[in-house]
Amino acid sequence: MAHSLWRCGRHRTGAVFELFFRDNPFGGGFTIFAGLQNCLSFIHSFSLSSTAYVNASPSLSLSLQVALMEVSGPLAVVQLLETPLLNLVNYASLVATNAARFRLLVGPRIKLFELGLRRAQGPDGGLSGSKYSYIGGFDYTSNLLAGKLYGIPVRGSMAHSYITSFTSISELTFQTLKPVGDGAAVDFVGLSERWLGRVCRLLEESEEFPDAGERAAFISFALCYPSNFVALVDTYSVRRSGLPNFCAVALTLDELGYRAIGVRLDSGDLRQQSLHCRSVFRACSQTFEVPWFANLSIMASNNISEENLKELQCQEHEIDYIGVGTNLVTCPLQPSLGCVYKLTEVNGKARIKLSEDQSKTTLPGRKNSYRLYSPDGHPLLDLLTLHSEEAPRAGEEVQCCALGRKMERLQVTAANVEPLLSVYFERGQVRASSAKLGAGVRGWGAGGK
Amino acid sequence: MAHSLWRCGRHRTGAVFELFFRDNPFGGGFTIFAGLQNCLSFIHSFSLSSTAYVNASPSLSLSLQVALMEVSGPLAVVQLLETPLLNLVNYASLVATNAARFRLLVGPRIKLFELGLRRAQGPDGGLSGSKYSYIGGFDYTSNLLAGKLYGIPVRGSMAHSYITSFTSISELTFQTLKPVGDGAAVDFVGLSERWLGRVCRLLEESEEFPDAGERAAFISFALCYPSNFVALVDTYSVRRSGLPNFCAVALTLDELGYRAIGVRLDSGDLRQQSLHCRSVFRACSQTFEVPWFANLSIMASNNISEENLKELQCQEHEIDYIGVGTNLVTCPLQPSLGCVYKLTEVNGKARIKLSEDQSKTTLPGRKNSYRLYSPDGHPLLDLLTLHSEEAPRAGEEVQCCALGRKMERLQVTAANVEPLLSVYFERGQVRASSAKLGAGVRGWGAGGK
């Protein structure tokens, strides 16, 4: 296609493309625009494009058919950018928006961690999932490489197989730990067996039931990471094995001056189990006079989706950390964002694509876009104008019409006008305004002006 | 976790993991196992694993909880492989299975091309989508890099923006073409204008309506690729513009000894339009005495899914090529395959993971698996045995029970017994049997023994 443009001498003709989407994903009211940094890197390394020019909009997009990016330059060059730019924006924006929806659902208190690597589209898909979930409002990733490459805080716990790989306490080669500060190493195993007895008496559970292999796994982990002890407690039975074993090991750590972090639940009724865990932590805290024990973290994972999170949030629970994998990175409610990249102008002339589907007809002409705000700082609407029109001004009435409803005229007077497009790439170079990118990350919650 | 295994001296303990899934995706009856080659490359480059050992099953998996892979070696090493192997198998197998379902739906005659790059999880996700769609039974990809890297045949057509970038015939710098064989260049534009008149008279359409810019784009493309002319015909109107313009250009090519390939439809009622296109091609073929014109290819794309393909296949249509993007690579019916990687044996002892969810409990112990066939070559069942049990033999009765229904005993006598696991990696090296991989590609339709 580009070859044929070159053959007919049209490859250098000036052209303008817009990258936009037609519907917000997940039936929602907003989209986080993400992936711009990768687009700019790609355009920069795509050396032909020394004259390409990129305008891009801010990270939160509320309105449809307002360009996320406007790309102008020689026709052949900007046309070749179609597929790479769509690839780099579509999934990034989709997963960032999905992550933001999870964040809005749980509120600011609960910590969210991303666990999607195993279900992503290959290793790179996994990295994108981690990066854009973080941009959308997640706190942690379990993907170590994403942590290393993007500086995202990393969190994880042990695997079930780590626990089932142990069968008895005798498999522990090392059984001692030095207390915090000075002092000789103490028989950790012996101490924890005594704590297990006390915990089981408190909980009125049999001391026989807690699995010795599971306890060996917990002890092995605690000896290695005494200040970072998190235990996966559902391998055999949360109530009868995992939780008593965890409490025994965590109380042993406390005796030596260390504080455990908490437990992870990965199956069953997460809400009920969180309530039970909290009540056990409180009982231990009170009985054994260990105040911090009441506030141990409870982490939950296991096929968490928007739907079951909504249910969870309607009821009492004690979960502090929520891990989301599949339903975050694969976005099952809508696994693709339909961004398109359409020609709006060639050689200064507006271009349109009609279509057999009305909804696929494009808005012709190069455009500017503005967000109009009310006096109290709320966005009123996003205004599209032709590039040749004058910009709307604060305090002056603007006549406009709703997209797709030409007959409905609106008069709006904005207290504040924000131009939505800024220059990010010009004359072969990424422009200074891209420094906003860093600030834009996690900026979704900042809102308005 | 691995560090803690090393600290307690258990990192070298022999362990066996199984990688398997619990349910076939999309509510279907089979899964294509894909991604093994990437797994083997990963294990090979993961240099610690000089003693890891991989058994893997053939590419078509019909039964649940039969391991796709069995990985054995030092505990710390094989445990670290969990996430990478799951990442490499899950999406690969999901998309190969999805592709196979499209292939089964359309039958062997229709050509399928993959168009998913713009909606994939980044550039690598796009490559995986192309590769495993091809393995699952697609014929072409529009991803040039996938074509280059994996040797997949590449097909595509022009973009709408290529067409809308032209406004008039005068924009064509070159307007002539040499006929096939010898001879001087001919005025292609003049010829095609005359053909347009004839076509419009035949179709009883106004000669004014076909868009001149669209025709200029078609001519530009045809001059560049006279033997590879495919036109996207829905930019303005298939019936009144795209199709007459295509016929005019294709008949001009014919006059110079070239054969066009066909048209692509990308919006509207694809079935109805295909019938209309075919009737126009037949009419032109007969009226202008160009026999091959009746058999021009008709390609269709535009949000093709299993569902609308089922509808299409129930009715008469004339589509020869179908392009699938979003619904192929993002697998919206089920965007993830739930493969898991579970410990079955440590130090020769069987290991189990119970769970708060019954369905997540694992089958303990290292196992063999066999596919039993009837005398006419149909698979009867897949048999799991403990590794220590004797293999079933052809012609001898086997007692077994259905998974999860211990009380239901079955007696089966197989005419043929196929062991499902083969060695693919041993003592740090990929084994010769991995040469089967090449043969396995596209082998999904071969069936049985």
Side-chain angles (χ1 to χ4, degrees):
Chain A
M1 198 162 59
H3 176 215
S4 121
L5 289 173
W6 172 77
R7 277 283 302 267
C8 70
R10 283 173 64 69
H11 56 295
R12 286 210 185 84
T13 305
V16 183
F17 280 83
E18 275 178 6
L19 190 151
F20 62 92
F21 58 87
R22 296 190 181 100
D23 296 298
N24 281 309
F26 318 119
F30 69 92
T31 302
I32 309 272
F33 171 32
L36 177 59
Q37 201 165 31
N38 277 346
C39 290
L40 296 174
S41 306
F42 182 86
I43 295 172
H44 190 250
S45 64
F46 192 71
S47 56
L48 276 172
S49 63
S50 57
T51 52
Y53 184 92
V54 176
N55 268 320
S57 82
S59 58
L60 186 63
S61 178
L62 300 159
S63 39
L64 317 176
Q65 299 242 345
V66 171
L68 298 177
M69 293 172 73
E70 184 200 75
V71 184
S72 52
L75 178 55
V77 171
V78 290
Q79 187 154 64
L80 280 173
L81 290 172
E82 175 168 9
T83 295
L85 297 187
L86 287 173
N87 176 278
L88 295 171
V89 169
N90 262 325
Y91 177 67
S93 300
L94 183 76
V95 82
T97 307
N98 199 22
R101 291 169 64 90
F102 277 96
R103 167 54 67 201
L104 290 172
L105 250 175
V106 301
R109 191 188 68 84
I110 290 178
K111 300 287 181 192
L112 289 169
F113 56 106
E114 176 273 319
L115 305 168
L117 181 54
R118 297 170 184 193
R119 308 295 168 85
Q121 291 178 9
D124 259 33
L127 282 175
S128 299
S130 303
K131 179 174 174 180
Y132 297 110
S133 299
Y134 185 63
I135 286 177
F138 270 55
D139 301 284
Y140 306 105
T141 178
S142 65
N143 186 333
L144 291 169
L145 186 58
K148 187 177 166 186
L149 292 177
Y150 311 129
I152 304 172
V154 170
R155 283 289 156 94
S157 74
M158 56 191 67
H160 286 112
S161 57
Y162 174 80
I163 294 167
T164 57
S165 78
F166 287 85
T167 50
S168 79
I169 298 288
S170 64
E171 287 162 354
L172 294 170
T173 323
F174 299 99
Q175 307 206 342
T176 60
L177 183 68
K178 284 189 182 176
V180 168
D182 271 348
V186 172
D187 171 16
F188 195 95
V189 169
L191 267 185
S192 65
E193 293 295 322
R194 282 195 292 282
W195 273 114
L196 183 69
R198 282 175 224 158
V199 168
C200 287
R201 279 193 294 283
L202 171 67
L203 305 180
E204 298 179 350
E205 296 278 358
S206 157
E207 214 175 312
E208 297 306 305
F209 202 89
D211 188 86
E214 185 184 53
R215 195 158 60 258
F218 290 179
I219 292 173
S220 165
F221 204 85
L223 293 178
C224 201
Y225 309 109
S227 302
N228 246 324
F229 178 54
V230 179
L232 180 59
V233 290
D234 73 326
T235 306
Y236 301 109
S237 161
V238 172
R239 183 179 288 260
R240 305 192 61 194
S241 182
L243 194 54
N245 276 334
F246 167 79
C247 290
V249 174
L251 288 162
T252 310
L253 284 172
D254 174 70
E255 202 176 320
L256 304 184
Y258 300 95
R259 285 192 183 185
I261 291 183
V263 294
R264 180 157 79 99
L265 303 166
D266 191 43
S267 57
D269 184 333
L270 302 172
R271 190 184 79 83
Q272 282 294 349
Q273 292 180 70
S274 77
L275 295 174
H276 178 68
C277 287
R278 184 67 67 209
S279 74
V280 167
F281 295 158
R282 287 194 181 124
C284 288
S285 168
Q286 204 165 7
T287 308
F288 306 124
E289 294 175 355
V290 183
W292 64 268
F293 219 83
N295 301 317
L296 278 163
S297 291
I298 299 173
M299 309 179 188
S301 53
N302 185 25
N303 210 16
I304 303 272
S305 65
E306 265 195 55
E307 202 177 345
N308 57 36
L309 213 49
K310 265 182 213 158
E311 272 174 47
L312 184 75
Q313 289 292 89
C314 291
Q315 298 171 286
E316 195 197 354
H317 70 80
E318 287 287 348
I319 298 169
D320 309 293
Y321 286 73
I322 291 175
V324 195
T326 312
N327 294 306
L328 177 61
V329 304
T330 70
C331 306
L333 293 180
Q334 184 184 322
S336 62
L337 177 64
C339 275
V340 291
Y341 181 84
K342 296 294 174 192
L343 184 67
T344 59
E345 196 183 281
V346 173
N347 232 345
K349 279 191 238 164
R351 304 305 302 144
I352 190 170
K353 175 189 163 266
L354 302 174
S355 173
E356 299 287 330
D357 301 336
Q358 182 77 47
S359 67
K360 290 176 104 182
T361 297
T362 60
L363 296 175
R366 191 173 179 184
K367 292 172 277 295
N368 278 326
S369 55
Y370 305 90
R371 186 157 295 166
L372 308 190
Y373 291 91
S374 69
D376 59 356
H378 280 86
L380 297 168
L381 53 79
D382 287 355
L383 182 72
L384 281 178
T385 67
L386 282 174
H387 201 254
S388 51
E389 289 180 274
E390 260 187 57
R393 285 193 208 121
E396 286 185 14
E397 191 181 88
V398 175
Q399 288 250 359
C400 55
C401 67
L403 197 67
R405 284 173 292 171
K406 255 187 276 185
M407 305 317 290
E408 283 178 41
R409 300 272 155 178
L410 299 169
Q411 284 82 38
V412 189
T413 305
N416 235 314
V417 173
E418 178 190 23
L420 289 177
L421 292 170
S422 313
V423 178
Y424 281 86
F425 190 89
E426 199 177 14
R427 294 196 197 89
Q429 294 302 323
V430 176
R431 277 270 300 259
S433 49
S434 72
K436 280 185 197 165
L437 279 176
V441 168
R442 315 184 62 67
W444 66 272
K449 285 279 284 185
Chain B
M1 197 164 58
H3 176 215
S4 122
L5 289 172
W6 171 76
R7 277 284 301 269
C8 73
R10 282 172 65 67
H11 55 294
R12 287 211 185 85
T13 306
V16 183
F17 280 83
E18 276 178 4
L19 189 151
F20 61 92
F21 58 88
R22 296 190 180 101
D23 296 298
N24 281 310
F26 318 118
F30 69 90
T31 302
I32 310 272
F33 171 33
L36 177 58
Q37 201 165 32
N38 277 347
C39 290
L40 296 174
S41 306
F42 183 86
I43 295 172
H44 190 251
S45 65
F46 193 70
S47 57
L48 277 172
S49 64
S50 56
T51 52
Y53 184 92
V54 175
N55 268 320
S57 81
S59 58
L60 185 64
S61 178
L62 300 159
S63 40
L64 317 176
Q65 299 242 343
V66 170
L68 297 177
M69 293 172 73
E70 184 200 76
V71 184
S72 52
L75 178 55
V77 171
V78 289
Q79 188 154 63
L80 280 174
L81 291 172
E82 176 168 6
T83 294
L85 297 187
L86 287 173
N87 175 279
L88 295 171
V89 169
N90 261 325
Y91 178 67
S93 300
L94 184 76
V95 82
T97 306
N98 199 22
R101 291 169 64 90
F102 277 96
R103 168 54 67 202
L104 290 172
L105 251 176
V106 302
R109 190 187 69 84
I110 290 179
K111 300 287 182 192
L112 290 169
F113 57 106
E114 177 273 320
L115 306 168
L117 179 55
R118 296 169 185 194
R119 309 294 169 86
Q121 291 178 7
D124 260 33
L127 282 175
S128 300
S130 303
K131 179 174 174 180
Y132 297 110
S133 298
Y134 184 63
I135 287 177
F138 269 55
D139 300 285
Y140 306 105
T141 179
S142 64
N143 185 333
L144 291 170
L145 186 58
K148 187 177 166 186
L149 292 177
Y150 310 130
I152 304 172
V154 170
R155 284 290 157 93
S157 75
M158 56 192 67
H160 287 111
S161 58
Y162 174 79
I163 295 168
T164 57
S165 78
F166 287 85
T167 49
S168 78
I169 298 287
S170 65
E171 287 162 354
L172 294 170
T173 323
F174 298 98
Q175 306 206 344
T176 60
L177 184 66
K178 284 189 182 177
V180 167
D182 272 348
V186 172
D187 171 15
F188 195 95
V189 169
L191 267 186
S192 64
E193 293 295 321
R194 281 194 292 281
W195 272 114
L196 182 68
R198 283 175 224 157
V199 168
C200 286
R201 280 192 295 284
L202 172 67
L203 304 181
E204 298 178 351
E205 296 279 358
S206 156
E207 214 175 314
E208 297 306 304
F209 201 89
D211 188 87
E214 185 184 53
R215 194 158 62 257
F218 290 179
I219 292 172
S220 166
F221 204 84
L223 292 179
C224 200
Y225 309 110
S227 303
N228 245 323
F229 178 53
V230 178
L232 180 60
V233 291
D234 73 326
T235 304
Y236 302 109
S237 161
V238 172
R239 184 179 287 259
R240 304 193 63 196
S241 181
L243 195 54
N245 276 333
F246 167 79
C247 290
V249 175
L251 288 161
T252 311
L253 284 172
D254 174 70
E255 201 175 321
L256 304 184
Y258 300 96
R259 285 193 183 185
I261 291 183
V263 293
R264 180 157 80 97
L265 304 165
D266 191 42
S267 58
D269 184 333
L270 301 173
R271 190 184 80 82
Q272 282 295 350
Q273 292 181 69
S274 77
L275 294 174
H276 177 68
C277 287
R278 183 68 66 210
S279 73
V280 168
F281 294 157
R282 286 194 181 124
C284 289
S285 167
Q286 205 166 6
T287 309
F288 307 124
E289 293 176 354
V290 184
W292 64 268
F293 218 82
N295 302 316
L296 278 164
S297 290
I298 299 173
M299 310 179 189
S301 54
N302 184 26
N303 210 15
I304 302 273
S305 65
E306 264 196 57
E307 203 177 346
N308 55 35
L309 214 48
K310 264 182 212 156
E311 271 174 47
L312 184 75
Q313 289 293 88
C314 291
Q315 298 171 286
E316 195 196 354
H317 71 80
E318 286 288 348
I319 298 169
D320 308 294
Y321 286 73
I322 291 175
V324 195
T326 312
N327 294 306
L328 177 61
V329 304
T330 70
C331 306
L333 293 180
Q334 183 184 322
S336 62
L337 177 65
C339 275
V340 292
Y341 181 84
K342 295 294 174 193
L343 184 68
T344 59
E345 197 183 279
V346 172
N347 231 344
K349 278 191 238 166
R351 305 304 301 144
I352 191 171
K353 172 187 166 268
L354 302 174
S355 172
E356 299 287 330
D357 301 337
Q358 183 76 47
S359 67
K360 288 177 105 180
T361 297
T362 61
L363 295 174
R366 190 174 180 184
K367 292 171 278 293
N368 278 326
S369 56
Y370 305 90
R371 187 157 294 167
L372 308 190
Y373 291 92
S374 68
D376 59 357
H378 281 86
L380 297 167
L381 53 78
D382 287 354
L383 183 73
L384 280 178
T385 67
L386 282 173
H387 200 253
S388 51
E389 290 180 272
E390 262 187 55
R393 285 193 208 119
E396 287 185 14
E397 191 180 87
V398 176
Q399 289 249 359
C400 55
C401 67
L403 196 68
R405 284 172 292 171
K406 254 187 277 186
M407 305 318 290
E408 282 177 43
R409 299 274 155 178
L410 299 168
Q411 284 83 37
V412 189
T413 306
N416 235 313
V417 173
E418 178 191 23
L420 289 178
L421 292 171
S422 313
V423 178
Y424 280 85
F425 189 88
E426 200 178 12
R427 295 196 198 88
Q429 293 304 323
V430 176
R431 279 269 300 257
S433 48
S434 71
K436 279 184 196 164
L437 279 175
V441 168
R442 314 184 62 68
W444 67 271
K449 285 281 282 187

